Amino acid sequence: MTRSVPTQALQPEATSSLVSGHFPRRRGLVLLLSAVAGFALTVIWSAEFVDSTIGDSVANTLLGHDAKQTPITGIAAGILFAFVSGLAGTFTACNIAAFGAVAPLLGSTGSRWRRVAHTLKPLGWLAVGMLVVSAVYGFVVGVVGTRMPQFDTAAVPPGVLSARSVQSLVVFGLIGLVMLYLGLAALGYVRDPFRRVTRRFPNAPMVFMGALIGAFLIGRPFPLFRQMFRDAAESHNPLYGIAAFCLQSLGNIVIMVVLFLVLTLVTGERLRRWLTNDPRRLTVVVAASLIVAGVFTFLYWDVRMLARRDIIPWYPTAPWS
């Protein structure tokens, strides 16, 4: 006589908010298509368009003057510039990874306002991780910034990487690989790194994802950010550095958070039903977001950068990029 197995024992184990335990049948196809999409983005992405056409236009409009040509005068102007330049940098190559951080929230349940509250709490934890990294880096910049690689804007000849470029290559390369690993974990290919810590600290994945977003500042070459960096470094005021860098990070995610909340309010119930009818769909959304972001970040900031500096012979790019 066989002993019946409780239904609960047959359910997949959700080890963290990133790994639901419900894996798609064709997870290899999800991995392949996501990786191809991340690579395709590196081919078509135009830094000049998003940095200058979009970023500069937004900053100039909000500040009411030419952001690049007008000196930052005083701490108040610097703090305003930090937030506005962060907002203007929303669509830069760094922030394409940000959606992967909030994709796990798409399965929110309950009434409309309960879904908003359910979304805001994890976003708050995401902000905690982001602001801790931003504050620490801002403090360091306020103390020793003029001696850091990002302070140097000197041109280097083709075939040579400046210290500033090496910093970007290392930082974004690591961020890309981490996000790729998390995407593979969401698909069940590798162990969930939050498996144990989530039992005591369920918000640990969101704090960690926020820290990754905060780390964008450590390697960021966005011209308006570099302008703010130099002003904070030259001030030798660590409190100003903390405030400016935290506001820069907050500005970076404002549009993403607003769009996500609108998505939660407008399509939340419909989207929730579609996701909960087959939990594997949420796995696909989370994994694909992380893998696309990870592949894009690594290839764009490491491989494509080496090609642009004539260190490797070629990398495919669209004519407008």
Side-chain angles (χ1 to χ4, degrees):
M1 185 172 178
T2 59
R3 186 167 50 182
S4 61
V5 180
T7 304
Q8 294 167 330
L10 299 175
Q11 297 300 318
E13 181 185 4
T15 54
S16 73
S17 60
L18 296 176
V19 182
S20 68
H22 297 273
F23 305 124
R25 295 192 193 95
R26 298 182 179 179
R27 57 181 183 167
L29 183 61
V30 174
L31 172 58
L32 175 63
L33 293 179
S34 301
V36 170
F39 165 73
L41 274 175
T42 68
V43 175
I44 66 174
W45 192 269
S46 171
E48 182 178 355
F49 177 76
V50 295
D51 288 357
S52 300
T53 306
I54 297 179
D56 290 356
S57 298
V58 170
N60 294 345
T61 301
L62 293 176
L63 292 173
H65 56 73
D66 191 315
K68 283 183 178 178
Q69 300 302 321
T70 305
I72 300 173
T73 55
I75 291 178
I79 288 175
L80 176 62
F81 184 91
F83 181 77
V84 169
S85 61
L87 197 64
T90 297
F91 301 103
T92 59
C94 309
N95 285 358
I96 197 170
F99 182 76
V102 297
L105 306 181
L106 288 172
S108 302
T109 59
S111 66
R112 176 174 295 184
W113 296 111
R114 186 176 178 181
R115 291 197 305 272
V116 171
H118 186 273
T119 302
L120 284 175
K121 183 178 178 181
L123 286 175
W125 285 108
L126 180 113
V128 167
M130 180 186 71
L131 291 176
V132 167
V133 174
S134 301
V136 170
Y137 193 57
F139 178 85
V140 172
V141 170
V143 174
V144 299
T146 54
R147 300 191 297 274
M148 297 172 70
Q150 276 182 304
F151 188 82
D152 184 16
T153 57
V156 294
V160 177
L161 281 176
S162 65
R164 186 180 70 246
S165 295
V166 171
Q167 182 173 325
S168 296
L169 184 147
V170 171
V171 170
F172 287 116
L174 288 174
I175 291 175
L177 291 176
V178 167
M179 298 198 82
L180 177 58
Y181 182 93
L182 293 177
L184 292 174
L187 288 176
Y189 281 111
V190 296
R191 185 179 180 85
D192 181 4
F194 301 106
R195 184 185 184 94
R196 292 184 179 179
V197 70
T198 301
R199 293 172 186 171
R200 292 189 60 188
F201 306 103
N203 294 300
M206 295 308 296
V207 174
F208 181 80
M209 295 302 292
L212 284 183
I213 295 175
F216 291 168
L217 300 181
I218 300 175
R220 192 163 206 178
F222 181 43
L224 291 178
F225 166 75
R226 195 178 301 149
Q227 188 173 342
M228 184 206 76
F229 178 98
R230 292 178 66 85
D231 184 67
E234 289 172 339
S235 75
H236 298 291
N237 183 339
L239 293 180
Y240 172 45
I242 291 172
F245 278 60
C246 286
L247 284 170
Q248 167 86 195
S249 288
L250 287 173
N252 265 188
I253 66 169
V254 164
I255 293 178
M256 179 192 72
V257 169
V258 170
L259 289 176
F260 201 82
L261 289 175
V262 169
L263 180 66
T264 300
L265 285 170
V266 175
T267 66
E269 184 60 27
R270 223 175 333 163
L271 183 61
R272 184 194 67 80
R273 284 199 302 266
W274 182 79
L275 290 171
T276 54
N277 284 342
D278 186 348
R280 293 171 297 184
R281 291 171 178 166
L282 182 58
T283 296
V284 171
V285 172
V286 173
S289 300
L290 290 167
I291 292 169
V292 170
V295 170
F296 171 85
T297 304
F298 180 80
L299 291 181
Y300 184 87
W301 290 108
D302 284 46
V303 184
R304 180 170 156 167
M305 177 192 286
L306 294 176
R308 292 187 67 179
R309 297 302 308 157
D310 294 330
I311 294 173
I312 61 175
W314 180 78
Y315 190 87
T317 56
W320 57 83
S321 63

